[in-house]
Amino acid sequence: MNAISIDTDRCDGCKACVKACFVNVLRWDEAGRRPVVAHAEDCVHCNLCEINCRRECITVTPDFSHLRWSAL
Amino acid sequence: MAELDSLGEVISADVLVVGGGIAGLAAAITVKEKDPGLEVLVVEKATSGWAGKADRGGGILAFLTPADKPEDFVRFHVHHIGCFLEDQELLSEYAHTCNGVLDHLDAWGVKVAREKNGRWKYVKLPGLDVPWGLAGVDLDMCRRLRRHAARLGVRFLDKVALVDLLRHGDRVAGAIGFGVEDGACRLVRARATILASGSQNYRVMPMWSCGRGDGIAAAYRAGAQMRNAEFGSFVNMVHAASREVVFGAEDHMYNAKGERVSEKYRPGLQPDICAMAAVGWYREHLEGNGPVRVKSEENLLQIGSEILFSTDLVWERPAAIAFWSRLWEKAGAAESGSVASMPEVVPGFIGEQSPVRVDHDMATSLPGLYAVGDVSYSGSAWTGAVPSPPGRIRGTGLMNAVWSARKGALSAAGYAAEAGELPRVDRAHAAALKEGIFAPARREGAGVTALEVVREVQGAMTPVRYSNWKSEARMREALGMVLEAKGKLHALKAADPHDLARCNEARSMALCAEMFYRASLERKESRGWFVREDFPERDDANWLKWIVIREKDGEMAVSTEDIPLEGYPIKP
Ligand SMILES: Cc1cc2nc3c(=O)[nH]c(=O)nc-3n(C[C@H](O)[C@H](O)[C@H](O)COP(=O)(O)OP(=O)(O)OC[C@H]3O[C@@H](n4cnc5c(N)ncnc54)[C@H](O)[C@@H]3O)c2cc1C
Ligand code: SF4
Ligand code: SF4
């Protein structure tokens, strides 16, 4: 499973990362005013959350070993 | 219609667009341009402007350069790509009008690269004499389109998945679904509905992950016709370690004995990857000659694609460079244990099933329902016997998305303007759909997870011996696996609204896989992308036909239709 870490201290709550995710891995926590990683199992390391965080507080670490479908 | 409210929030629009990727956005903009008085609502499962595949792809647009003639494009296409299964009238219209897509994108604020003299900047594929060229667009196109659409007054509803179509008799009257975060039921009533929800890609390859076939399944369940479902088995050759696409790998494959095998399986002029690349990979393994590797130094396309994608040497595209360099940097770390000069490749199954049948106005077989972009690409039939996108011409996915969206939106706008009252929606009908959609959320006790079903469907689709090197016996085996997965759908159990979306996607995947194998079993020949071991030849005497699928009395009814070649300019 890919690992997504968010430095919530650096985060300014702009929400860009939550919008950027095309498979709804990230979710907005209204109470804490911060993004949360809700469904890391669905992350496909497009990196758009990481690239579009202007505060550079997201790191996506892909786990390529989970991509092991059988082609034979 | 007060009673509908008891099922969930009811929202109304003149034109409903399902899916806020590039096709949905282009359709919404076009409706507003044509008739600013129409209320347009885009409903997107993620966040429109960021969602969809367009900004996670190559950003390459295949268009006809000043040196390319539409007639040459059509002739080349019919002979070398779609193999006479095209609707030649629509193909010809595409060839004559697709370049307009670049002007529209430009007018809507999207950055397509230009030369200093103002002309579109383009390249030709190295070593290939084909009647098209490639232009570059930056990978922030959807964000720009959303901004433009909002300025025109298009409304957006994000984080809502629309799962089924509401009907009034045969006529489509909107759609029903739920919030993927709040789980609340939403009903959208509309005069015209445009499906722009993408293709079926079975959640195998990462960047294609949002293509889960919801719109295909919704249209099928509502009774719409499907066409060309048997071509949905697209594969790219990918790096064995990272599973990232190795562009051009198919032309430089070597087996473990050091023999070059590409030409053995891909003789003659090959404008792009074909199914035989994966079949060749499979047969080399079967004969004990695996693994298959690619000689990087020979692969001009790979070197070229790095130049095209992740540098500004050809096109100035900051968003694309950020995307590709970050992706390849991380993939490179995973690939570091492999031999860089000769990396091992495997087939990366993508699918790209796009069978919703549409006519020349992008109207489906159901009144009030239009389908544009990837959801109806094969179903429109202009691309013939290939999975589309990319239909063996990389760079037609985005072009078709915008081209078909404009056509469909103009038709839908006209229909909505003349449709009179909002069509009535019967409460019992909507309640029955809601019941089906929410069933996994209400299930108590033990159940099956969506991912279990998805894995089983993937197991029937990804092996080359099932979906690309086809035979009656192997396809029956794969279909059996799909039906077994289908048999578990009634026991799906959702942990939360996000998981409820996955459950409904699992339904779509099982349906699309069944459709793929039922259509494939019917076609007893090989043609274009479609390869059968037991019927290796193209059979023009019997198979200049489209295979059409629709639901009849709860069953998948498969029929064939002669291609009207007598009226087409190019004959076999
Ligand atoms: C890695 C990669 C590289 C590519 N490279 C190129 C290229 O260089 N050139 C090219 O022309 N094409 C390329 N393509 C193909 C191109 O991206 C697609 O053809 C195009 O984006 C299709 O647009 P679409 O809007 O029809 O579908 P999508 O982009 O799939 O958008 C469909 C949208 O509908 C939403 N949706 C789905 N179901 C529902 C539902 N139930 N309710 C609400 N919303 C829903 C999805 O979340 C998604 O946002 C590439 C694709 C990939 C993945
Ligand atoms: S890398 Fe992509 S898929 Fe993963 S959480 Fe970020 S935006 Fe979502
Ligand atoms: S993009 Fe960065 S700064 Fe903005 S909410 Fe996300 S983590 Fe915080």
Side-chain angles (χ1 to χ4, degrees), chain A residues 4 20-23 25-26 43-49 60, chain B residues 56:
Chain A
I4 305 140
C21 187
F22 73 141
V23 286
V25 168
L26 305 175
C43 172
V44 289
H45 57 266
C46 74
N47 297 312
L48 284 196
C49 56
V60 177
Chain B
R56 291 167 177 84

Side-chain angles (χ1 to χ4, degrees), chain A residues 22, chain B residues 18-25 43-47 51-62 160-163 196-199 201 207-215 245 247 309 323-324 352 372-375 377 389-390 393-401:
Chain A
F22 73 141
Chain B
V18 184
I22 187 167
L25 285 162
V43 179
E44 164 57 51
K45 198 194 281 184
T47 304
K53 299 190 295 186
D55 286 332
R56 291 167 177 84
I60 281 173
L61 306 171
V160 169
L162 291 176
V163 181
S197 46
S199 49
N201 303 310
M207 262 10 101
W208 282 263
S209 186
C210 67
R212 302 176 186 187
D214 297 6
V245 176
F247 294 97
F309 292 170
F323 172 77
W324 283 103
E352 299 283 32
V372 301
D374 276 5
V375 74
Y377 200 172
I393 307 182
R394 265 169 240 234
T396 51
L398 299 169
M399 292 292 282
N400 174 73

Side-chain angles (χ1 to χ4, degrees), chain B residues 227-470:
Chain B
R227 171 166 58 171
N228 291 330
E230 70 272 31
F231 299 108
S233 61
F234 186 59
V235 284
N236 260 324
M237 298 309 289
V238 303
H239 203 292
S242 66
R243 307 269 158 151
E244 266 308 311
V245 176
V246 183
F247 294 97
E250 54 277 7
D251 289 322
H252 309 283
M253 299 198 299
Y254 286 77
N255 67 17
K257 291 181 180 160
E259 296 161 342
R260 205 181 134 86
V261 294
S262 289
E263 286 75 14
K264 187 168 149 194
Y265 300 104
R266 284 165 50 83
L269 174 63
Q270 298 291 343
D272 205 330
I273 189 164
C274 63
M276 286 308 291
V279 171
W281 175 93
Y282 173 71
R283 285 173 49 182
E284 290 301 319
H285 275 82
L286 212 61
E287 288 161 23
N289 296 335
V292 171
R293 297 180 183 279
V294 173
K295 205 172 254 186
S296 300
E297 73 206 41
E298 289 177 356
N299 187 2
L300 285 180
L301 201 57
Q302 179 62 13
I303 300 159
S305 71
E306 268 159 29
I307 292 168
L308 289 183
F309 292 170
S310 62
T311 74
D312 57 7
L313 287 175
V314 179
W315 298 306
E316 200 196 316
R317 304 191 302 167
I321 293 169
F323 172 77
W324 283 103
S325 44
R326 190 76 55 107
L327 191 64
W328 281 343
E329 183 191 314
K330 293 185 186 182
E335 293 160 5
S336 64
S338 50
V339 189
S341 58
M342 280 200 85
E344 184 189 344
V345 288
V346 296
F349 182 82
I350 296 174
E352 299 283 32
Q353 193 186 34
S354 57
V356 177
R357 182 179 193 161
V358 287
D359 65 11
H360 294 186
D361 294 322
M362 300 297 137
T364 69
S365 58
L366 302 177
L369 183 68
Y370 299 79
V372 301
D374 276 5
V375 74
S376 62
Y377 200 172
S378 286
S380 75
W382 77 255
T383 50
V386 284
S388 30
R392 301 197 69 216
I393 307 182
R394 265 169 240 234
T396 51
L398 299 169
M399 292 292 282
N400 174 73
V402 177
W403 180 79
S404 63
R406 282 193 40 79
K407 282 175 72 67
L410 293 173
S411 326
Y415 183 91
E418 286 168 17
E421 290 284 286
L422 269 179
R424 228 175 53 77
V425 177
D426 177 50
R427 188 189 181 281
H429 155 65
L433 293 176
K434 182 181 173 186
E435 175 79 20
I437 295 168
F438 281 87
R442 281 194 312 274
R443 186 142 295 122
E444 308 221 335
V448 176
T449 68
L451 288 177
E452 271 175 80
V453 174
V454 170
R455 296 279 173 268
E456 287 184 24
V457 175
Q458 289 171 339
M461 294 306 298
T462 59
V464 174
R465 71 181 187 283
Y466 291 148
S467 55
N468 273 304
W469 183 229
K470 303 180 187 74

Side-chain angles (χ1 to χ4, degrees), chain B residues 10-31:
Chain B
V10 181
I11 307 156
S12 299
D14 293 312
V15 180
L16 162 65
V17 180
V18 184
I22 187 167
L25 285 162
I29 290 170
T30 304
V31 172

Side-chain angles (χ1 to χ4, degrees), chain A residues 19-20 22-24 27 39 41-42 44-48 50-52 60 64 67-72, chain B residues 45 50 56 159 181 203 205-206 212 240-243 323 326 330 334 347-348 462-465 498 502:
Chain A
K19 290 185 197 154
F22 73 141
V23 286
N24 295 321
R27 223 182 137 148
H39 301 284
E41 68 280 11
D42 286 345
V44 289
H45 57 266
C46 74
N47 297 312
L48 284 196
E50 182 183 294
I51 292 167
N52 289 290
V60 177
F64 293 97
L67 297 171
R68 284 293 172 265
W69 61 83
S70 156
L72 272 174
Chain B
K45 198 194 281 184
W50 295 88
R56 291 167 177 84
K159 308 267 182 198
E181 290 190 346
R203 294 190 61 170
M205 282 284 285
R212 302 176 186 187
S242 66
R243 307 269 158 151
F323 172 77
R326 190 76 55 107
K330 293 185 186 182
T462 59
V464 174
R465 71 181 187 283
H498 180 88
R502 288 194 290 221

